[in-house]
Amino acid sequence: MSRYDSRSSDPTSYRDRRSDSGYGGSTGYSGSVRSSSSKNDYYGSEASKKVDLDGLPHFEKNFYIEAPSVAAMTEREVEEYRQRREITVEGRDVPKPVKSFRDVGFPDYVMQEIAKAGFTEPTPIQSQGWPMALKGRDLIGIAETGSGKTLAYLLPAIVHVNAQPILSPGDGPIVLVLAPTRELAVQIQQEATKFGASSKIKNTCIYGGVPKGPQVRDLQKGVEIVIATPGRLIDMMESHHTNLRRVTYLVLDEADRMLDMGFDPQIRKIVSQIRPDRQTLYWSATWPKEVEQLARQFLYNPYKVIIGSPDLKANHAIRQHVDIVSENQKYNKLVKLLEDIMDGSRILIFMDTKKGCDQITRQLRMDGWPALSIHGDKSQAERDWVLSEFRSGKSPIMTATDVAARGLDVKDVKYVINYDFPGSLEDYVHRIGRTGRAGAKGTAYTFFTAANARFAKELIGILEEAGQKVSPELAAMGRGAPPPPSGHGGFRDRGRGYGGGRSWS
Ligand code: AMP
């Protein structure tokens, strides 16, 4: 029997806690701040305000016991392991990573599901994220879809649920997972169902655009895990179909995407209804300022774990071309490029802003190009439709903002065009990584203006590492020289006609 099994004979196990807690379901808590002993804590910035935890029953959130095999790892071994698996950690008292599933000590019923799934070892985010999450501390995880992050937070969630008092009639969920889109919410639910079934943990998925009836019925029956998009969840709370008084484990998945989609007010409203001493796990693929600001308000003394090489590298199967242009040349350059490469293959064009996306898409359509756009201001139904048109190839050109396109798993994108250069080199690598997937070759074209000059040096590094050519103009910008006068530049090596013999990289 595992050390987390709530049905063990451990005197601190769930039944005992249940009888001391006297949890009655009504907390009386209505604040939105977290308690803290340190006023200077970087996180939990509102922590110095007094939090009234009176009437809130104690709950258990630290379940971690380091296995002897993990304890035996030397600091050097830990460091080497993290380096090899591209794990970077921050925070106080960071636990050592676990190298095998056995090292985590999950309950037997979870181990059986892992074996059934055929997994051989924890992914990097799991090997470092599990001990962190099981310790009951707040956690920031910077990892992408595909990294195994869903199980990184769901398996500790299952352990957490099994150690809490059972639900009483009228109780809301114990675990709440907020996700930006229905697609992601459903994906998360599939994992929750698979891995939670054997311990009889019930879950439901709450998202908009479908009838409420079945969701209301699930909530009324009582579910330990709710996976929700913010709008529909608020709707359910306001109509008293659920409440968040029992939530002690909160997950915000793809926080960057939720903010890009304008969910900031809804997220705040939801979190304000959850007891402040909850455990919060905050996931994002990127770490822009807004995402960090929200984390500061919602998390207390968090660990941070970042997955991926600190040295950015692009996929070598992608040919990268960079064209030095002026802002007002961009549209004509785009059209010329499309004329050259368009053969019915999927082309993904990235823009900086939602407005830019709409404008260029409109213009392209007026000029006869089969383009649609996807960004955070579009409704779920419209996004679904645009994606299916793009996937099926009916509309082979799609324009997108960064965050709306993140996590999109569209196969066979042949070309990525950076109409606007992104705000970071990480985004550049993410964007072009939409092509060249699963062993295919891909090509990325990037418009680069004088306003982007500050990225030139790092961009050159990425191009060189991937064995791509660097044009003399870009090289000069990388040395801090002013960009060449407009009118130069274009994409070489595209085969047919256009741009031959000019200054392309
Ligand atoms: P996610 O990043 O959570 O979207 O996970 C991506 C996929 O990886 C999902 O299909 C998971 O079932 C799968 N997965 C999760 N953990 C592991 C693991 N340790 N080994 C192999 N596959 C995994």
Side-chain angles (χ1 to χ4, degrees):
M1 182 158 295
S2 141
R3 55 188 179 268
Y4 303 133
D5 201 311
S6 57
R7 281 145 271 183
S8 74
S9 55
D10 176 348
T12 61
S13 81
Y14 125 102
R15 284 189 193 287
D16 296 279
R17 268 198 302 280
R18 198 175 147 203
S19 53
D20 344 296
S21 70
Y23 184 80
S26 105
T27 62
Y29 171 72
S30 61
S32 62
V33 292
R34 324 247 2 224
S35 63
S36 164
S37 52
S38 160
K39 286 186 183 170
N40 298 323
D41 243 296
Y42 177 76
Y43 285 91
S45 54
E46 295 184 52
S48 52
K49 292 183 197 164
K50 184 146 173 31
V51 175
D52 180 13
L53 289 172
D54 285 355
L56 288 176
H58 170 77
F59 70 97
E60 197 56 57
K61 56 182 176 182
N62 181 357
F63 307 102
Y64 192 58
I65 301 164
E66 197 176 57
S69 51
V70 178
M73 284 171 84
T74 63
E75 279 311 312
R76 197 177 161 163
E77 282 168 342
V78 167
E79 208 156 287
E80 277 171 7
Y81 182 81
R82 287 194 185 124
Q83 220 167 37
R84 184 166 60 76
R85 304 209 76 193
E86 300 189 338
I87 300 168
T88 310
V89 293
E90 292 171 24
R92 281 183 234 149
D93 311 322
V94 175
K96 293 175 182 176
V98 293
K99 290 203 256 185
S100 73
F101 295 114
R102 216 184 36 248
D103 284 346
V104 203
F106 280 128
D108 294 343
Y109 49 86
V110 169
M111 290 300 280
Q112 280 161 16
E113 294 301 332
I114 289 173
K116 244 196 262 166
F119 299 164
T120 50
E121 67 169 340
T123 66
I125 187 61
Q126 293 166 352
S127 85
Q128 185 61 70
W130 279 333
M132 289 172 157
L134 286 166
K135 275 171 84 84
R137 287 262 300 270
D138 285 0
L139 168 63
I140 294 166
I142 309 294
E144 287 188 74
T145 297
S147 61
K149 73 179 158 68
T150 314
L151 290 183
Y153 63 73
L154 274 183
L155 297 190
I158 289 170
V159 172
H160 183 102
V161 167
N162 277 324
Q164 307 307 319
I166 52 169
L167 295 179
S168 302
D171 277 354
I174 295 167
V175 171
L176 174 65
V177 181
L178 288 179
T181 62
R182 177 169 94 194
E183 298 93 323
L184 183 63
V186 169
Q187 242 166 273
I188 297 166
Q189 187 189 23
Q190 285 163 355
E191 302 268 283
T193 302
K194 203 164 16 155
F195 288 85
S198 49
S199 55
K200 302 210 167 43
I201 293 179
K202 297 181 290 308
N203 69 65
T204 192
C205 207
I206 303 293
Y207 50 79
V210 293
K212 285 186 212 163
Q215 298 178 357
V216 170
R217 277 194 289 283
D218 279 350
L219 290 170
Q220 281 168 349
K221 271 189 266 169
V223 282
E224 288 88 359
I225 301 180
V226 164
I227 301 134
T229 55
R232 176 60 68 92
L233 179 65
I234 290 183
D235 196 349
M236 292 292 192
M237 286 156 58
E238 286 176 348
S239 47
H240 303 288
H241 294 306
T242 193
N243 64 74
L244 306 182
R245 290 191 294 266
R246 281 290 311 262
V247 174
T248 45
Y249 190 101
L250 169 68
V251 179
L252 291 107
D253 203 350
E254 299 203 355
D256 51 357
R257 213 160 145 205
M258 288 204 276
L259 291 184
D260 187 67
M261 290 170 70
F263 284 139
D264 194 344
Q266 285 96 329
I267 295 173
R268 286 172 197 279
K269 189 164 182 176
I270 291 166
V271 176
S272 76
Q273 299 297 306
I274 305 175
R275 57 187 285 171
D277 55 347
R278 64 181 180 258
Q279 182 177 4
T280 308
L281 296 96
Y282 188 91
W283 298 87
S284 188
T286 55
W287 195 238
K289 239 191 273 122
E290 315 80 70
V291 176
E292 183 177 354
Q293 272 160 6
L294 200 66
R296 282 193 199 200
Q297 286 172 26
F298 291 163
L299 291 113
Y300 170 64
N301 189 20
Y303 294 124
K304 187 169 175 190
V305 51
I306 303 156
I307 301 302
S309 166
D311 307 322
L312 268 183
K313 284 189 198 131
N315 177 347
H316 287 202
I318 303 165
R319 291 175 71 172
Q320 302 176 59
H321 303 275
V322 179
D323 185 2
I324 314 287
V325 300
S326 66
E327 198 59 45
N328 56 21
Q329 289 176 312
K330 281 183 176 178
Y331 185 75
N332 288 339
K333 291 254 179 193
L334 174 66
V335 169
K336 285 203 182 111
L337 178 59
L338 289 177
E339 282 167 1
D340 204 38
I341 63 177
M342 184 64 175
D343 58 4
S345 313
R346 290 180 196 80
I347 302 172
L348 183 54
I349 307 175
F350 283 99
M351 319 270 167
D352 242 2
T353 62
K354 300 165 194 169
K355 200 166 142 210
C357 246
D358 284 337
Q359 269 170 358
I360 302 299
T361 310
R362 211 173 305 125
Q363 189 64 47
L364 283 172
R365 293 178 70 79
M366 283 192 321
D367 291 343
W369 295 98
L372 292 172
S373 90
I374 188 162
H375 59 65
D377 280 353
K378 305 263 176 194
S379 69
Q380 178 73 52
E382 194 173 352
R383 285 203 310 270
D384 286 349
W385 179 77
V386 167
L387 255 184
S388 73
E389 294 286 295
F390 185 59
R391 279 207 177 102
S392 70
K394 272 195 225 151
S395 174
I397 301 176
M398 185 164 84
T399 65
T401 54
D402 273 310
V403 180
R406 186 161 304 122
L408 283 186
D409 190 21
V410 179
K411 308 240 160 14
D412 303 327
V413 173
K414 193 161 168 197
Y415 302 100
V416 167
I417 300 173
N418 289 309
Y419 188 87
D420 297 314
F421 196 79
S424 73
L425 270 301
E426 272 165 26
D427 281 335
Y428 173 79
V429 170
H430 279 305
R431 283 179 177 188
I432 70 168
R434 299 279 127 209
T435 175
R437 287 168 96 102
K441 297 250 178 278
T443 307
Y445 297 98
T446 298
F447 293 152
F448 197 86
T449 68
N452 308 131
R454 67 185 190 282
F455 296 117
K457 206 166 159 203
E458 275 183 280
L459 178 60
I460 290 168
I462 288 172
L463 291 169
E464 285 177 341
E465 193 281 331
Q468 305 293 306
K469 285 185 195 135
V470 175
S471 71
E473 289 80 6
L474 182 61
M477 282 171 92
R479 289 190 302 270
S486 60
H488 286 267
F491 295 113
R492 188 173 57 195
D493 294 337
R494 282 165 302 138
R496 284 178 285 142
Y498 171 66
R502 285 189 263 166
S503 47
W504 311 104
S505 65

